[in-house]
């Protein structure tokens, strides 16, 4: 348990940033699910539109350090390849 005033303040700040970061990570997951749902429905135009918004959100979180840059790139790459596979299958 934090005893000094500065340790107590750091504990408060850490908890505040933890909850904020958790909220941002949750938002990223929601955008990913929207793209995957559009892909599953077979609507390529909706999937592309969802991908554009998801990609910008993923990039923003990677810049802030919420996601690792390689993880962000991996998510974007996998989503994009699934969208491209839809047009190849059609």
């Amino acid at each position: 348990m934090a005893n000094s005033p500065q340790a107590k303040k750091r504990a408060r700040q850490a908890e505040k940033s933890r909850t904020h970061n958790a909220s941002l990570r949750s938002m990223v997951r929601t955008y990913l699910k929207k793209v995957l749902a559009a892909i599953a429905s077979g609507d390529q135009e909706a999937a592309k539109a969802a991908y554009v918004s998801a990609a910008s959100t993923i990039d923003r979180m990677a810049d802030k350090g919420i996601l690792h840059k390689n993880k962000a790139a991996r998510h974007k790459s996998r989503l994009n390849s699934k969208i491209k596979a839809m047009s190849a299958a059609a």
Side-chain angles (χ1 to χ4, degrees):
M1 181 62 204
N3 289 320
S4 66
Q6 67 189 18
K8 288 178 183 177
K9 180 178 179 180
R10 286 304 300 163
R12 282 195 312 270
Q13 289 175 329
E15 178 61 21
K16 186 177 178 181
S17 80
R18 184 189 69 80
T19 56
H20 185 252
N21 291 345
S23 159
L24 295 176
R25 269 192 303 275
S26 173
M27 181 177 66
V28 169
R29 290 188 198 113
T30 302
Y31 275 100
L32 292 173
K33 287 177 191 174
K34 286 179 183 177
V35 177
L36 292 173
I39 290 170
S41 72
D43 186 0
Q44 189 173 12
E45 292 307 312
K48 284 181 180 178
Y51 174 78
V52 169
S53 61
S56 70
T57 304
I58 290 169
D59 285 336
R60 210 166 46 245
M61 294 309 122
D63 288 342
K64 290 183 179 188
I66 306 299
L67 290 177
H68 192 277
K69 63 184 178 70
N70 289 359
K71 182 175 184 174
R74 183 174 67 241
H75 277 302
K76 286 171 35 181
S77 173
R78 288 181 181 171
L79 289 175
N80 200 21
S81 63
K82 285 181 183 180
I83 291 172
K84 286 185 176 179
M86 290 173 72
S87 63

